[in-house]
């Protein structure tokens, strides 16, 4: 188990296969796509009310990596995840999941939304929420069966809250809510996980539980793309990083890309020209 | 059955109540999901907005109860949901405001049309609001030798459709209400389910509109599910209870519409209105008596808490008296005077503590047992650690920390004490100079 205090102590042994990858290379969406690539984003642009949120975003994610998406507030991190899953319309760009469209490979993608995105007073229990991860496999109109509940129980055991299975969800603490969501993603048994700030405001025990699960996922050759805020722990928890601030600032293996200079570009160097043109567009629209 | 001067007539009252029950059940079944999706207002909006559709179809076809009329109204109802989304998008206002814009405009338009139509055809603007459920037994259709009211047949079909919808798509409704994003990503398009639900809301509103008026269906979409939400903590239970409440409101509503006004020397009043009032009363009862959020339960919890605090105060007082070798004899009268409580409360608390084995009495004097001693020491330790914490870390002054610590000590467990101890660097004495007893 990784301790959360020393930064980057296990970097090298955790990533033995680093050398044969080309860090930060061009997106390969334009050439023949191997189905082994879990996610390939090419030229993605997303705008809300004409205001661009993501510009020309492109990157590939190698299989079996834990990827941190890092960037300041409003950098479009959540939008990126939503655009990958077709939850947000995109102005342009292509997204390939295991070499095909998201729609075709939807069953291979698990999503862990932000904890605040749902109503925790909803009258259901923890097991119900976890079972929802299986609804896709169960299919339209068919009922939840015993085997599904058993699978959900197993996932709850993995995240260490099996004893809370029959609690109503309003009685959970923040960390327990996050574990519930994680169990729901685990039960989907996906190959690519998209997680929106799973570490936000959780207790130390939950943080360790999440890290442990990420490690297990990696050991099983799964890929996770995780929006992460705590820069301190990025080198320790992840082996690949995407630095995002409306555009991709840099992406690649943590030890190559996660540098002070790149972080400065991501957080400090605001894209002033883009901001200005956006503002000009909005003024123009209002005056019309 | 007799209620004063009121004689139950199955051919009349039976059908009126049946129609009311059918309307109530069909609306409530869908209403559960409106409430859970926090879009209760949309049910309200759609039930109002179908009016211009009804009126337009009525003006065109010049007849009531035709299929085009039905379809026209349902389409307008669905448009309400679409318009609401659209106005929210372009107007940058919240959903409530955009809904308000859409449905009041449409309802007003409908009223204007109805008033116009009323000049040359038989359509009563008054009926729009509270309907004519009392007249349903008069408009019958012969089915298998029985003459069954037309609206009862329509509403049975709608109830059946809604019940099938909710039971067949139960899982899908649940996931899309709780987590629309997950629903869409696992293949159950949340928008699709939303509009399916809205279509049925519109169908239910239109089917109910003419026979039972607008007020009943609006109430039944929302009130029984809300009451059930207070009583249940599982969605299945909530739906079951809400249907029970819907049925009860329909029955009680009709009876009280006929009976209650006669007590005051009036004629019977609007049945549909009374059904809605009955539902409202049941909601008030659930709010008072509910097991989780009910007012009674909250009161009871507060009482239980104040009793617990009093018992804890007694044992920590006994501990302090002994600690400072106080000469006061710890009998009931003295304890009562020091705790500033009533006679009865002191008796109850001392009895309870003796029963629990925290104290024992010898010739009227109370003493802590070993078990009571341990409890009391934890309390006193919590109190003094808090005082130390408040002074050394929270910037409190020595003369003003006692009351705060007195409150906090009752909510401090061992784990919290250990953290307090660590943060205050394991003090031996508190700011008042009293010794802080060790944990054990």
């Amino acid at each position: 188990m990784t301790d959360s205090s020393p930064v980057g102590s296990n970097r090298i042994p955790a990533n033995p296969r680093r050398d044969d990858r080309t860090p930060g290379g061009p997106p390969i969406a334009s050439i023949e796509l191997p189905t082994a690539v879990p996610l390939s984003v090419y030229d993605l642009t997303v705008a809300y009310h004409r205001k661009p949120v993501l510009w020309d975003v492109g990157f590939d994610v190698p299989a079996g990596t834990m990827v941190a998406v890092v960037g300041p507030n409003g950098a479009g991190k959540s939008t990126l995840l939503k655009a990958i899953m077709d939850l947000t319309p995109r102005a342009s760009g292509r997204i390939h999941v295991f070499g095909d469209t998201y729609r075709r490979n939807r069953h291979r993608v698990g999503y862990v939304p932000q904890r605040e995105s749902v109503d925790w007073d909803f009258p259901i229990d923890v097991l119900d929420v976890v079972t929802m991860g299986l609804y896709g496999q169960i299919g339209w109109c068919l009922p939840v069966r015993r085997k599904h509940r058993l699978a959900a129980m197993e996932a709850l055991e993995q995240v260490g809250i099996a004893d809370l299975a029959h609690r109503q969800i309003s009685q959970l603490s923040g960390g327990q809510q996050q574990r519930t969501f994680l169990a729901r993603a685990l039960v989907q048994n996906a190959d690519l996980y998209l997680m929106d700030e799973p570490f936000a405001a959780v207790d130390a025990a939950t943080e360790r539980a999440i890290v442990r699960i990420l490690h297990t996922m990696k050991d099983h050759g799964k890929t996770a793309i995780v929006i992460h805020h705590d820069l301190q722990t990025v080198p320790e928890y992840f082996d690949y990083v995407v630095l995002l601030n409306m555009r991709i600032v840099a992406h690649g293996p943590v030890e190559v890309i996660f540098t002070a200079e790149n972080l400065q570009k991501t957080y400090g160097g605001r894209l002033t020209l883009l901001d200005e043109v956006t503002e000009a567009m909005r003024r123009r629209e209002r005056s019309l | 059955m007799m209620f004063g001067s009121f004689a139950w007539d199955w051919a009349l009252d039976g059908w009126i109540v049946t129609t009311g029950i059918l309307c109530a059940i069909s609306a409530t079944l869908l209403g559960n999901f409106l409430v859970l999706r926090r879009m209760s207002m949309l049910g309200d909006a759609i039930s109002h907005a179908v009016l211009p559709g009804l009126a337009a179809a009525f003006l065109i076809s010049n007849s009531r109860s035709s299929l085009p009329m039905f379809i026209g109204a349902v389409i307008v109802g669905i448009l309400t949901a679409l318009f609401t989304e659209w106005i929210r998008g372009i107007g940058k206002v919240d959903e409530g405001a955009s809904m308000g814009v859409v449905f009041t405009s449409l309802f007003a338009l409908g009223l204007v049309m109805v008033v116009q139509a009323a000049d040359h055809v038989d359509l009563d603007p008054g009926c729009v609001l509270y309907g004519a459920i009392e007249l349903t037994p008069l408009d019958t259709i012969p089915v298998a030798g029985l003459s069954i009211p037309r609206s009862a047949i329509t509403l049975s079909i709608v109830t059946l459709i809604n019940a099938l919808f909710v039971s067949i798509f139960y899982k899908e409704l649940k996931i899309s209400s709780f987590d629309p994003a997950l629903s869409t990503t696992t293949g159950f398009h949340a928008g699709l389910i939303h509009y399916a639900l809205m279509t049925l809301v519109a169908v239910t509103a239109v089917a109910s509109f003419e026979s039972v008026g607008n007020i009943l269906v609006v109430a039944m979409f929302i009130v029984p599910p809300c009451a059930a939400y207070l009583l249940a903590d599982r969605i299945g239970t909530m739906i079951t209870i809400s249907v029970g409440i819907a049925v009860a409101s329909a029955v009680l509503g009709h009876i009280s519409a006929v009976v209650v006004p006669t007590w005051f020397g009036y004629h019977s009043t609007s049945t549909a209105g009374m059904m809605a009032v009955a539902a409202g009363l049941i909601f008030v009862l659930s709010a008072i008596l509910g097991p989780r959020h009910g007012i009674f339960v909250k009161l009871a919890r507060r009482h239980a808490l104040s009793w617990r605090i009093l018992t804890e105060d007694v044992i920590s007082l006994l501990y302090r008296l002994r600690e400072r070798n106080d000469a006061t004899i710890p009998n009931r009268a003295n304890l009562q005077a020091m705790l500033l409580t009533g006679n009865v409360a002191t008796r109850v608390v001392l009895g309870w503590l003796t029963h629990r084995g925290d104290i024992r009495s010898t010739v009227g004097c109370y003493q802590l047992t070993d078990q009571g001693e341990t409890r009391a020491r934890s309390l006193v330790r919590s109190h003094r650690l808090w005082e130390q914490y408040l002074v050394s870390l929270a910037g409190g002054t020595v003369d003003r920390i006692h009351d705060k610590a007195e409150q906090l000590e009752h909510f401090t467990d061992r784990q919290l004490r250990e953290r307090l101890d660590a943060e205050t660097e394991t003090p031996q004495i508190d700011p008042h100079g009293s010794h802080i007893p060790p944990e054990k």
Side-chain angles (χ1 to χ4, degrees):
Chain A
M1 218 5 267
T2 321
D3 199 294
S4 54
S5 45
V7 175
S9 55
N10 64 340
R11 247 198 274 175
I12 292 159
N15 310 298
R17 294 167 298 148
R18 272 286 160 63
D19 310 343
D20 53 19
R21 271 185 228 133
T22 40
I28 52 168
S30 46
I31 49 173
E32 190 64 21
L33 271 165
T35 51
V37 177
L39 177 69
S40 171
V41 178
Y42 178 69
D43 199 16
L44 172 71
T45 298
V46 177
Y48 286 141
H49 300 296
R50 290 278 195 87
K51 187 180 176 221
V53 186
L54 292 172
W55 284 77
D56 263 351
V57 168
F59 63 95
D60 291 330
V61 170
T65 45
M66 298 292 117
V67 183
V69 178
V70 171
N73 287 331
K77 302 184 296 288
S78 293
T79 307
L80 174 64
L81 294 196
K82 288 188 177 141
I84 292 169
M85 291 175 293
D86 286 343
L87 288 173
T88 288
R90 43 185 193 253
S92 71
R94 284 198 300 274
I95 285 164
H96 290 276
V97 175
F98 296 106
D100 208 333
T101 58
Y102 165 76
R103 193 177 279 262
R104 291 228 186 89
N105 274 326
R106 185 156 57 196
H107 58 282
R108 297 183 69 181
V109 182
Y111 178 38
V112 182
Q114 274 184 44
R115 200 147 39 84
E116 297 79 39
S117 68
V118 303
D119 169 17
W120 288 97
D121 283 328
F122 205 84
I124 45 178
D125 63 21
V126 172
L127 192 64
D128 266 330
V129 176
V130 179
T131 319
M132 284 180 185
L134 292 164
Y135 282 11
Q137 290 173 33
I138 297 170
W140 283 94
C141 308
L142 294 170
V144 176
R145 300 200 181 281
R146 197 178 130 77
K147 61 173 181 189
H148 303 123
R149 289 198 195 91
L150 287 176
M153 272 314 284
E154 212 171 288
L156 278 173
E157 264 156 38
Q158 279 185 59
V159 299
I161 52 167
D163 53 322
L164 304 179
H166 299 290
R167 276 270 174 99
Q168 205 226 321
I169 54 171
S170 63
Q171 297 164 22
L172 300 181
S173 72
Q176 291 164 343
Q177 291 175 351
Q178 196 61 61
R179 288 176 192 223
T180 305
F181 264 8
L182 215 60
R184 188 178 71 178
L186 282 178
V187 86
Q188 280 179 276
N189 201 15
D191 295 311
L192 169 67
Y193 285 99
L194 306 177
M195 307 188 182
D196 200 339
E197 296 197 34
F199 291 103
V202 297
D203 52 289
T206 301
E207 178 147 352
R208 283 196 296 275
I210 301 173
V211 173
R212 195 175 61 232
I213 284 158
L214 288 178
H215 277 262
T216 320
M217 285 176 173
K218 190 180 157 69
D219 291 344
H220 287 81
K222 308 202 168 194
T223 310
I225 298 171
V226 181
I227 295 179
H228 195 58
H229 262 300
D230 184 10
L231 296 179
Q232 299 272 320
T233 51
V234 167
E236 188 189 344
Y237 295 170
F238 299 97
D239 33 34
Y240 207 81
V241 67
V242 173
L243 295 175
L244 187 73
N245 190 353
M246 285 171 71
R247 316 179 60 141
I248 295 278
V249 176
H251 69 100
V254 170
E255 68 271 16
V256 181
I257 297 303
F258 202 66
T259 60
E261 189 193 346
N262 278 338
L263 284 175
Q264 172 67 27
K265 270 194 228 159
T266 314
Y267 285 86
R270 281 167 55 80
L271 303 165
T272 40
L273 285 180
L274 282 179
D275 280 347
E276 272 172 38
V277 74
T278 306
E279 194 46 46
M281 280 163 71
R282 281 175 59 190
R283 272 204 303 274
R284 185 77 176 273
E285 230 157 70
R286 278 196 195 142
S287 63
L288 278 176
Chain B
M1 259 188 278
M2 291 289 291
F3 299 93
S5 58
F6 166 55
W8 182 276
D9 177 350
W10 278 106
L12 275 173
D13 301 290
W15 281 124
I16 292 171
V17 170
T18 307
T19 312
I21 288 175
L22 288 169
C23 168
I25 293 178
S26 58
T28 296
L29 280 172
L30 305 178
N32 277 288
F33 294 98
L34 294 175
V35 168
L36 288 175
R37 287 160 177 251
R38 316 240 154 185
M39 43 177 62
S40 321
M41 274 291 283
L42 203 53
D44 196 345
I46 290 177
S47 352
H48 281 87
V50 295
L51 188 59
L54 281 171
F58 187 61
L59 282 171
I60 295 163
S61 66
N62 242 343
S63 72
R64 288 166 59 161
S65 71
S66 63
L67 193 63
M69 184 159 165
F70 198 89
I71 294 169
V74 169
I75 289 171
V76 178
I78 300 164
L79 284 178
T80 313
L82 279 169
F83 281 155
T84 303
E85 276 298 305
W86 184 60
I87 290 188
R88 185 170 61 157
I90 59 159
K92 290 181 180 168
V93 289
D94 70 277
E95 194 164 29
S98 67
M99 224 180 270
V101 170
V102 174
F103 93 81
T104 47
S105 316
L106 286 173
F107 188 62
L109 177 69
L111 270 181
V112 172
M113 289 163 78
V114 168
V115 172
Q116 276 299 314
D119 289 345
H120 45 101
V121 276
D122 169 35
L123 190 64
D124 175 12
C127 277
V128 163
L129 269 184
Y130 47 83
I133 196 170
E134 295 86 347
L135 303 179
T136 48
L138 304 179
D139 182 10
T140 57
I141 298 176
V143 178
L146 292 164
S147 49
I148 294 173
R150 200 173 43 79
S151 49
I153 294 173
T154 322
L155 286 169
S156 317
I157 296 168
V158 174
T159 307
L160 188 68
I161 292 172
N162 290 356
L164 284 175
F165 175 72
V166 169
S167 46
I168 292 174
F169 297 103
Y170 181 60
K171 180 169 106 272
E172 289 77 7
L173 284 166
K174 201 156 88 168
I175 189 173
S176 66
S177 304
F178 175 64
D179 192 342
L182 179 82
S183 182
T184 303
T185 59
T186 44
F188 309 105
H189 199 283
L192 186 72
I193 298 166
H194 174 75
Y195 280 105
L197 182 62
M198 289 311 132
T199 306
L200 284 183
V201 166
V203 167
T204 310
V206 176
S208 311
F209 210 115
E210 171 204 15
S211 56
V212 298
N214 174 279
I215 195 155
L216 183 60
V217 71
V218 168
M220 290 303 164
F221 272 131
I222 307 309
V223 184
C226 279
Y229 181 78
L230 296 175
L231 298 173
D233 57 3
R234 294 293 183 280
I235 183 168
T237 331
M238 174 176 162
I239 294 174
T240 315
I241 293 178
S242 69
V243 169
I245 293 175
V247 173
S249 331
V251 176
L252 291 174
H254 180 61
I255 293 171
S256 41
V258 181
V259 175
V260 175
T262 58
W263 296 346
F264 305 99
Y266 296 104
H267 290 296
S268 63
T269 182
S270 155
T271 287
M274 261 333 234
M275 288 176 176
V277 171
L281 288 175
I282 294 176
F283 174 82
V284 172
L285 280 180
S286 333
I288 295 171
L289 301 171
R292 275 186 308 149
H293 314 288
I295 294 167
F296 269 146
V297 171
K298 280 185 188 148
L299 275 178
R301 278 199 205 116
R302 206 174 303 160
H303 263 280
L305 182 65
S306 62
W307 281 109
R308 203 195 82 202
I309 288 177
L310 187 56
T311 59
E312 293 183 351
D313 284 347
V314 170
I315 55 172
S316 56
L317 177 64
L318 286 170
Y319 183 93
R320 288 194 170 98
L321 286 177
R322 219 205 40 210
E323 187 188 43
R324 58 175 188 250
N325 291 319
D326 201 295
T328 320
I329 298 157
N331 59 14
R332 199 181 70 231
N334 286 337
L335 288 175
Q336 187 183 326
M338 280 183 279
L339 290 163
L340 303 170
T341 50
N343 189 11
V344 180
T346 319
R347 277 171 195 268
V348 171
V349 165
L350 288 172
W352 164 245
L353 281 168
T354 313
H355 171 76
R356 201 169 65 172
D358 281 351
I359 56 173
R360 59 171 170 265
S361 70
T362 20
V363 288
C365 292
Y366 290 94
Q367 267 182 310
L368 288 170
T369 61
D370 288 347
Q371 176 192 319
E373 169 98 16
T374 313
R375 278 181 213 257
R377 193 191 315 115
S378 305
L379 284 164
V380 171
R381 178 171 162 79
S382 302
H383 180 96
R384 292 179 182 163
L385 280 173
W386 272 117
E387 290 195 329
Q388 181 65 25
Y389 179 86
L390 288 173
V391 167
S392 62
L393 292 154
T397 49
V398 177
D399 54 325
R400 296 179 64 183
I401 50 173
H402 178 81
D403 292 343
K404 190 77 191 161
E406 190 71 31
Q407 273 175 12
L408 296 174
E409 67 177 47
H410 300 290
F411 304 95
T412 307
D413 59 4
R414 185 178 181 143
Q415 215 184 346
L416 189 51
R417 272 199 301 280
E418 274 162 14
R419 283 173 54 196
L420 279 173
D421 189 58
E423 298 236 343
T424 52
E425 294 163 350
T426 320
Q428 296 302 311
I429 54 165
D430 75 0
H432 299 293
S434 309
H435 174 65
I436 298 178
E439 191 66 50
K440 181 70 190 174

